[in-house]
Amino acid sequence: MPELVPIDDATFAEATALALKTLSVFQQNRGHYNNNMNSHLRGKLGEIACARWVETLGLDCEETFRDLGRMAETDLVIHGDRGCRIDVKTWSDKYWPELGRCVAVNQLAKLQAKSDLIIWCITPEELRSGIRVQLVGWNSLEDIANAPRRLTGPPRGRKVDNFQVDSDCVRNLAELSASLGQQEPPR
């Protein structure tokens, strides 16, 4: 069952400020997908929502996504340096069915080096205070490496060579929350 994390005014303002900072760093890059304020804001809302969810589990969570100097690292670290390293990927509900659950083929090796797993999130298409971020589930990087490889993208837009996890292969958050209390990251 997905987790829903509400976004209040303060959280939305915080996500917006973080998104403006990351956009300013990457605004000249083409990116794997869209590189604009909307995509950066969507990503920050997902990262903040995941950090809040981990807090509800009573776990210590290092929120590396907040530090511009650590953008090459994973988004969240649980149990310190030896613990579970989590990257967060957030999609619009409009694009989730066809285009969600993707990792660009040329991004996989970098993710494997820095993360143990990915948590998938969905937001409404319109980003604003009062929405809820849906934490849909998770997958290990091994799951993603074994996922089908597909060219994805809008019918008249740029196609991206992706590993795309089928929706029925996304793992349940209950499994992840049960395993996060253990020393070894889930596989």
Side-chain angles (χ1 to χ4, degrees):
M1 184 111 185
E3 295 284 332
L4 296 173
V5 178
I7 303 299
D8 60 19
D9 290 343
T11 303
F12 191 78
E14 174 187 16
T16 300
L18 287 167
L20 285 167
K21 289 178 184 176
T22 59
L23 178 61
S24 71
V25 171
F26 292 107
Q27 64 189 6
Q28 300 305 316
N29 296 358
R30 182 174 177 166
H32 297 289
Y33 308 106
N34 293 327
N35 187 22
N36 56 38
M37 181 58 187
N38 191 56
S39 63
H40 282 261
L41 178 56
R42 192 173 312 283
K44 293 303 166 194
L45 289 167
E47 291 162 355
I48 290 169
C50 285
R52 296 246 169 96
W53 176 70
V54 170
E55 286 173 13
T56 68
L57 300 176
L59 299 172
D60 181 41
C61 178
E62 184 179 359
E63 300 174 5
T64 54
F65 69 87
R66 294 181 183 283
D67 184 345
L68 285 180
R70 298 178 73 182
M71 285 192 296
E73 297 179 36
T74 196
D75 298 321
L76 303 169
V77 179
I78 299 174
H79 299 303
D81 293 338
R82 294 185 185 170
C84 185
R85 302 165 304 156
I86 300 172
D87 211 69
V88 179
K89 301 287 183 198
T90 307
W91 295 84
S92 160
D93 58 3
K94 178 179 177 181
Y95 296 108
W96 175 256
E98 284 188 52
L99 306 177
R101 305 162 317 281
C102 286
V103 169
V105 168
N106 63 1
Q107 186 184 29
L108 182 63
K110 183 178 173 183
L111 279 170
Q112 288 170 321
K114 70 177 186 170
S115 301
D116 299 306
L117 60 93
I118 290 177
I119 293 179
W120 307 106
C121 298
I122 300 174
T123 64
E125 176 66 12
E126 182 186 344
L127 300 176
R128 58 179 173 71
S129 178
I131 65 167
R132 295 187 301 174
V133 175
Q134 183 179 356
L135 283 61
V136 179
W138 68 283
N139 285 100
S140 68
L141 273 292
E142 183 178 340
D143 293 342
I144 293 161
N146 292 319
R149 190 169 168 174
R150 299 178 175 126
L151 281 177
T152 64
R156 292 196 172 127
R158 175 171 65 119
K159 303 291 188 233
V160 178
D161 190 10
N162 281 310
F163 292 104
Q164 185 179 36
V165 176
D166 291 327
S167 59
D168 62 343
C169 294
V170 173
R171 296 183 191 212
N172 192 303
L173 279 177
E175 176 190 347
L176 178 59
S177 64
S179 64
L180 283 176
Q182 301 170 8
Q183 287 296 347
E184 291 295 315
R187 304 253 179 245

